[in-house]
Amino acid sequence: MAGEDLPGGHERVLDADLTHNLSLRTIVLRELDTDRQRLEACQDNLAEIRKQARTRVFQPLAEALRSQHPDARPEGFLEVVGGWQAGETFALPRGRVLLLGRDQQADIVLRDTIVSRAHCKLENVDSWTYRIKDLGSQNGTRLNRHTISAAELQGGDLLSLGWTFMIFSLPLVSLAVRLQEHSLLDERELQDLLRLEGCLHHLQVGIARVCHGFWALEHSDSAALPAHEMAVKSHEFRQDAARVMDGLEAELPSAEAILQPLLDTIARKPAPQPLPSSGVHPLVSEPPAAQGTAQRELYEARSYTLDLERRHRQLIELLLAQAEALGQAGEAARAVELLRRLLLVEPATRKGQELLKRWQE
């Protein structure tokens, strides 16, 4: 019997379709809420580890560097991990106030249609401190999970402007390694701290990827999509997010395992004493001849190598994420081409080999 012949006619069929769509949309939103709660648990755990590391390890290290090496200065940078400019890095020169926005005259130009022309400014206050201030932007400036008007940045913070997600980094540990600062931690412990810094960064990149996915779903025109299309779109996102969060939950204990011995070590050590007013660290202010040019170059090369290795790992992770996103979007040929190029440089990347096998099939 045709729908028009049923009691109530065509309107009854339309009502049934509408009820089905509303039910499906409700189920999809409920499933996304479950994933959001899982993500927030990962964020809370990482925030607690970062808080302990910042207050009990990184801040004491910064104080040691300030007291033992008064002429040394770190230089921060922003790394784009989500959005159209993913993979780009912006240096933050010391002593500068930088304008971030869509305007071509901005110091850091963000090619993002929902970033304001003059979105926010980032100021290096005293060479060791960076502050971010929103300039009345239309869509706001978010730091980690909160919309802010102004705040001080900490290493590892996630900064979000529109569709653009960036991680702020302040390489204190690389500076300590380069200066051979051992008043707080010895060489082996500094290497452990480098591992912790890399682990925390990897966790924050994973969280940023999932946060960016949620942002994309929430700010796409999902209300205008048919319920079944919304369900397919959210299902694809949930599959990718589940893989990332599985990795996050597995890696969080590793970060804690690296952190705990460092906390115990620092708790047992007295605070480093500042140098006498006439004393300066030879690597900072003494002429090269007094310390030895070869030794100085060795220290700088070691620090530079460690920094290159970290950036190399980050770039590989971003390219793998881009290849996976292309494959999920139905661009298998482009994903395979990207993965083949990547494996020429990094043939031992297991995830790259697995993705290549999947998209070739």
Side-chain angles (χ1 to χ4, degrees):
M1 180 180 289
E4 293 79 8
D5 299 327
L6 292 171
H10 188 60
E11 290 76 10
R12 180 170 178 177
V13 176
L14 291 179
D15 287 344
D17 288 343
L18 178 60
T19 302
H20 171 72
N21 283 342
L22 289 174
S23 299
L24 182 56
R25 194 175 296 274
T26 301
I27 292 169
V28 169
L29 294 175
R30 188 183 300 126
E31 289 174 342
L32 287 174
D33 282 341
T34 302
D35 291 328
R36 195 188 309 277
Q37 291 170 12
R38 187 181 178 192
L39 173 63
E40 289 174 354
C42 289
Q43 288 176 294
D44 290 340
N45 290 335
L46 178 59
E48 181 58 32
I49 295 172
R50 285 186 59 215
K51 181 180 178 181
Q52 289 189 64
R54 182 175 69 251
T55 58
R56 297 172 61 186
V57 181
F58 290 112
Q59 285 182 1
L61 180 63
E63 291 166 6
L65 286 167
R66 286 187 180 194
S67 64
Q68 302 295 312
H69 314 278
D71 295 336
R73 298 288 187 273
E75 186 171 293
F77 60 91
L78 290 173
E79 176 189 357
V80 184
V81 294
W84 288 285
Q85 291 166 265
E88 290 190 37
T89 299
F90 300 106
L92 307 175
R94 294 189 294 268
R96 291 278 307 278
V97 178
L98 302 175
L99 174 65
L100 283 72
R102 201 176 73 249
D103 195 287
Q104 292 301 311
Q105 302 305 314
D107 299 293
I108 296 178
V109 180
L110 300 176
R111 301 187 297 275
D112 188 329
T113 54
I114 61 173
V115 164
S116 299
R117 292 186 178 278
H119 196 102
C120 62
K121 68 176 183 179
L122 198 154
E123 181 180 5
N124 178 215
V125 180
D126 62 359
S127 295
W128 292 82
T129 307
Y130 288 81
R131 289 188 62 82
I132 189 83
K133 181 178 181 181
D134 186 77
L135 297 176
S137 61
Q138 183 175 357
N139 292 295
T141 299
R142 301 177 305 283
L143 183 61
N144 298 319
R145 282 181 278 177
H146 308 288
T147 300
I148 53 99
S149 56
E152 181 177 325
L153 293 177
Q154 305 289 342
D157 278 346
L158 177 60
L159 186 65
S160 311
L161 285 67
W163 294 86
T164 305
F165 283 51
M166 299 176 285
I167 292 178
F168 170 74
S169 294
L170 192 64
L172 290 176
V173 188
S174 297
L175 180 63
V177 170
R178 179 167 65 85
L179 296 173
Q180 283 207 326
E181 169 46 50
H182 295 154
S183 62
L184 186 70
L185 298 170
D186 62 28
E187 185 175 357
R188 181 186 60 79
E189 291 160 349
L190 278 178
Q191 295 298 325
D192 288 341
L193 190 52
L194 272 175
R195 286 175 53 222
L196 175 65
E197 189 178 55
C199 187
L200 293 178
H201 183 271
H202 183 260
L203 287 165
Q204 187 66 296
V205 169
I207 283 175
R209 280 184 58 194
V210 183
C211 288
H212 188 265
F214 270 117
W215 173 265
L217 278 177
E218 290 169 353
H219 292 80
S220 63
D221 194 13
S222 58
L225 287 176
H228 68 278
E229 290 186 20
M230 178 186 175
V232 170
K233 190 174 182 180
S234 66
H235 177 69
E236 291 174 350
F237 163 71
R238 293 185 68 230
Q239 282 186 315
D240 184 49
R243 284 193 294 271
V244 175
M245 288 191 286
D246 286 344
L248 293 175
E249 290 166 350
E251 193 167 352
L252 280 165
S254 300
E256 292 177 330
I258 301 171
L259 175 62
Q260 194 56 53
L262 293 169
L263 297 179
D264 296 340
T265 298
I266 293 176
R268 291 194 302 267
K269 290 188 176 181
Q273 297 300 312
L275 292 173
S277 57
S278 58
V280 291
H281 193 283
L283 286 179
V284 177
S285 303
E286 196 171 326
Q291 180 66 25
T293 303
Q295 190 174 4
R296 179 195 295 268
E297 290 177 351
L298 176 63
Y299 297 155
E300 291 179 351
R302 182 187 300 172
S303 175
Y304 183 64
T305 301
L306 289 169
D307 189 53
L308 282 178
E309 288 176 353
R310 180 181 61 80
R311 289 172 181 264
H312 177 74
R313 290 195 304 271
Q314 293 169 4
L315 182 58
I316 293 298
E317 290 168 5
L318 285 169
L319 289 173
L320 286 171
Q322 185 176 5
E324 191 167 8
L326 284 170
Q328 293 285 356
E331 299 282 349
R334 293 178 61 191
V336 167
E337 181 183 359
L338 177 58
L339 288 166
R340 282 175 175 166
R341 291 175 180 269
L342 177 59
L343 289 172
L344 287 174
V345 179
E346 194 72 20
T349 304
R350 181 181 300 174
K351 183 176 179 181
Q353 294 169 346
E354 292 174 352
L355 289 174
L356 180 61
K357 182 179 178 181
R358 182 198 307 177
W359 300 125
Q360 280 180 329
E361 293 173 352

